[in-house]
Amino acid sequence: MKHLLSAKDLSHDEAVMVLDTAEAMAATQRHAVKKLPTLRGKTVVNLFFEDSTRTRLSFEAAAKRLSADVISFSAKGSSVSKGESLKDTAQTIMAMGADAVVIRHSADGAAHLLAHAGWINVPVLNAGDGKHQHPTQALLDAMTLRRWYDPCGERSDGSPAPQGRDLAGAKVVIVGDVLHSRVARSNVDLLTTLGAQVTLVAPPTLLPVGMEGWPCEVSYDLDATIEQVRPDAVMMLRVQRERMSAAGGGYFPSPAEYSHSYGLNLARRSAMPEHAIVMHPGPMNRGLEITAEAADDPRSRVIEQVGNGVSVRMAALYLLLADEGNQL
């Protein structure tokens, strides 16, 4: 692969390679000097057409820790707001000498279009396109789970996973706004590739039409799912109210009703297996899909996910741009 566009594009061995490389990158970040000379002289352009904090800063930190130069582009206040097309924007940044482009866009397939339309000839990394894909988020989630998953069902110490280890047999429950979530789609693709068993839990109104081909189970009852599946991890999805408002709302009766049926609270946290971890891609709507007590529970891995995101994005940039590169 010349690009990283979709979690579905990654084979089992490619996914494990990225995760193993991310562990190696994480190890370098425990040194006094965190910066590596690997991408010195390379220029990475962050092309963000949607608002972002974690992903944009994570990619920027990853590139800088590999000694790449970073150009950050935001659609707000740029020529895009004046009507400039994606093609013209892409050709403009190529003229500035970009060696890789990280793109986040509100349209499904925007990253694929940028990579294959012939406008640019450098690696493209998808930082989220519409409701479609967010591959590096799925990779950082897999890295987080891999550090804590123990096939024996016992809590591990969270030390780096052995080289080549996948997630065979891990049971992951993903809860919430699946309809609008590129995180859910990417995680279903990647986690099942790595051998995990995934169950999606949501009200019927927040599940996409045509899920028959998805390699996962689907449930409408969170309490029953926790009891029956006995998950190793429960991942709560952000309720994307901004997309619901644009579509006219009406996806659930009220925030209180949603939280009562599908929110992660202390009672549900207590019903989970002792070793199970809590995950969330962020930003969290505390009090809606997750209570403050559950978010701050000792087995919450939300902050660890953010840190792992830098390591995963370092790995992706390294594998696509280093002299040994184009291994993806």
Side-chain angles (χ1 to χ4, degrees), residues 199-277:
T199 303
L200 299 177
V201 182
T205 52
L206 287 177
L207 289 169
V209 175
M211 293 186 63
E212 295 79 12
W214 289 35
C216 61
E217 299 296 323
V218 177
S219 171
Y220 309 126
D221 189 326
L222 178 55
D223 294 312
T225 300
I226 290 174
E227 180 181 354
Q228 294 164 12
V229 173
R230 305 298 292 164
D232 298 292
V234 173
M235 182 185 303
M236 306 306 297
L237 300 173
R238 182 174 70 88
V239 176
Q240 299 189 39
R241 289 178 287 191
E242 71 280 5
R243 298 187 194 272
M244 296 178 189
S245 298
Y251 290 92
F252 46 81
S254 69
E257 183 69 22
Y258 179 89
S259 183
H260 174 75
S261 299
Y262 295 99
L264 184 64
N265 52 32
L266 276 182
R268 290 188 173 121
R269 177 67 191 91
S270 299
M272 291 164 54
E274 185 65 23
H275 70 276
I277 62 173

Side-chain angles (χ1 to χ4, degrees), residues 6-7 25 36 77 95 114 119-120 128 136 160 177 225 238 245 255 260 302:
S6 168
M25 293 297 174
L36 305 175
L114 184 64
W119 305 331
I120 64 176
T136 58
D177 186 2
T225 300
R238 182 174 70 88
S245 298
H260 174 75
V302 177

Side-chain angles (χ1 to χ4, degrees), residues 268-304:
R268 290 188 173 121
R269 177 67 191 91
S270 299
M272 291 164 54
E274 185 65 23
H275 70 276
I277 62 173
V278 175
M279 302 172 69
H280 194 299
M284 293 183 285
N285 294 309
R286 289 177 180 243
L288 184 55
E289 72 262 6
I290 189 168
T291 65
E293 294 81 6
D296 298 329
D297 186 271
R299 280 164 290 176
S300 170
R301 297 289 166 254
V302 177
I303 299 302
E304 184 179 330

Side-chain angles (χ1 to χ4, degrees), residues 68-85:
D69 296 317
V70 179
I71 299 174
S72 291
F73 171 97
S74 174
K76 289 184 178 179
S78 72
S79 295
V80 172
S81 62
K82 303 173 185 176
E84 183 173 75
S85 68

